Amino acid sequence: MQRTELTPFLEWHDGVFVPNAIAHGGWGPTLGGQVIGGLLARTIERQVDRGELHPARLTVEILRRVAAEPVQVSATVIRAGSRMRSVDAGMTQHGELVARASALYLRRGTQPDGEFFTTEITLPPRPVTPRVDETVPMSIAVYGKDPDDGTGFAWQHAGPRYAWVREIRDLVAGEEITPFVRAAMAADVTSSMTNFSTLGLGFINADYTLALSRLPVGPDVGLAALTHYSDGGIAVANTSLFDAQGPIGSGLSTAIANSGFTGGPGVATS
């Protein structure tokens, strides 16, 4: 994908990451989950030689709302073996831990013989011309109910939802987003995609997990909502993730009921 001159989510200054306004999420002047998860994934990835091991699982925990202010991140290898590596990362703000992540890397090997069962999923076609401008944090084409029916956002219905996500700006100024970080940022969409009801988005993400059988190829990551189970204000939900070549993994969201969502993601129509 050709690099753009759009404002990056974060700038690196004097040992801290300084967010720009575009890094705000939909719950007020706080950092969006995709920025938090992407930055933690970036920090974790730097603890592992690329190509040696595969990032099979990433769990991001948002311990409190992260203010739209400078943050620091660090990562530590917890266990290293011949076939796996476990890495933890933390994000601090004003000396307090505000988010953390853990990742499991596995060594790739020979694929076992035999046929395996999986539920068949077909995504809508990718957008021909993704939306690229300063008004949206990412290009996201959403699919659900007919957007022309005049009753609200396409995911605001009790039916299937899909999305194609493309990161259109740097996470950190001057750095190209890696496939792992791209997948980590896209997986945050699992919460908003699955937690819309017929009346709007009623849950806020507490954590999310990305599981990958392989890294995405190309700039686009697709998501298909599979389940939403909730009771007493607690929701668990999951998605399947794709690239242009086929399925790549899964996303899992754990969320708690919350009001005050101020807007949906930037929508690319095609």
Side-chain angles (χ1 to χ4, degrees):
M1 177 182 175
Q2 185 177 359
R3 301 291 294 280
T4 71
E5 299 300 324
L6 298 179
T7 302
F9 287 115
L10 301 161
E11 310 267 358
W12 172 254
H13 290 298
D14 299 326
V16 296
F17 293 95
V18 181
N20 290 309
I22 195 67
H24 294 184
W27 301 94
T30 57
L31 295 191
Q34 82 276 20
V35 176
I36 297 169
L39 186 55
L40 288 167
R42 169 193 178 275
T43 306
I44 286 171
E45 188 173 44
R46 293 184 170 214
Q47 299 294 317
V48 182
D49 293 333
R50 294 185 192 175
E52 178 186 359
L53 296 168
H54 168 73
R57 192 266 303 156
L58 171 74
T59 297
V60 176
E61 296 180 75
I62 303 172
L63 304 176
R64 62 185 65 193
R65 294 193 181 187
V66 183
E69 300 174 5
V71 296
Q72 293 179 302
V73 291
S74 61
T76 304
V77 176
I78 303 301
R79 180 185 173 190
S82 61
R83 300 186 67 190
M84 62 84 68
R85 184 169 300 176
S86 178
V87 185
D88 285 358
M91 176 180 292
T92 58
Q93 196 168 63
H94 305 301
E96 295 187 8
L97 185 67
V98 293
R100 62 188 179 187
S102 65
L104 178 66
Y105 281 73
L106 300 176
R107 186 175 298 280
R108 301 188 70 86
T110 303
Q111 174 70 7
D113 294 331
E115 298 181 7
F116 300 89
F117 170 78
T118 188
T119 301
E120 185 175 351
I121 299 170
T122 301
L123 261 70
R126 291 181 297 150
V128 175
T129 307
R131 179 178 174 183
V132 178
D133 64 49
E134 279 287 7
T135 68
V136 294
M138 68 186 82
S139 176
I140 175 168
V142 298
Y143 305 85
K145 67 178 179 179
D146 183 355
D148 297 324
D149 69 0
T151 58
F153 191 56
W155 289 341
Q156 192 169 318
H157 76 137
R161 302 104 184 265
Y162 306 92
W164 281 104
V165 178
R166 177 180 292 200
E167 298 301 332
I168 57 175
R169 64 185 71 242
D170 293 346
L171 173 62
V172 178
E175 295 182 7
E176 185 171 355
I177 297 176
T178 67
F180 175 50
V181 173
R182 187 180 302 280
M185 296 176 74
D188 176 66
V189 175
T190 292
S191 180
S192 55
M193 168 182 277
T194 56
N195 288 321
F196 258 96
S197 73
T198 55
L199 299 179
L201 182 57
F203 291 87
I204 188 172
N205 216 4
D207 70 27
Y208 72 88
T209 293
L210 165 69
L212 288 172
S213 62
R214 65 175 176 85
L215 290 171
V217 176
D220 299 310
V221 177
L223 297 94
L226 299 182
T227 65
H228 169 100
Y229 305 128
S230 60
D231 185 76
I234 304 297
V236 294
N238 74 306
T239 57
S240 281
L241 272 63
F242 296 76
D243 63 10
Q245 299 179 6
I248 61 172
S250 301
L252 172 67
S253 167
T254 309
I256 187 168
N258 195 80
S259 60
F261 185 68
T262 57
V267 179
T269 57
S270 62

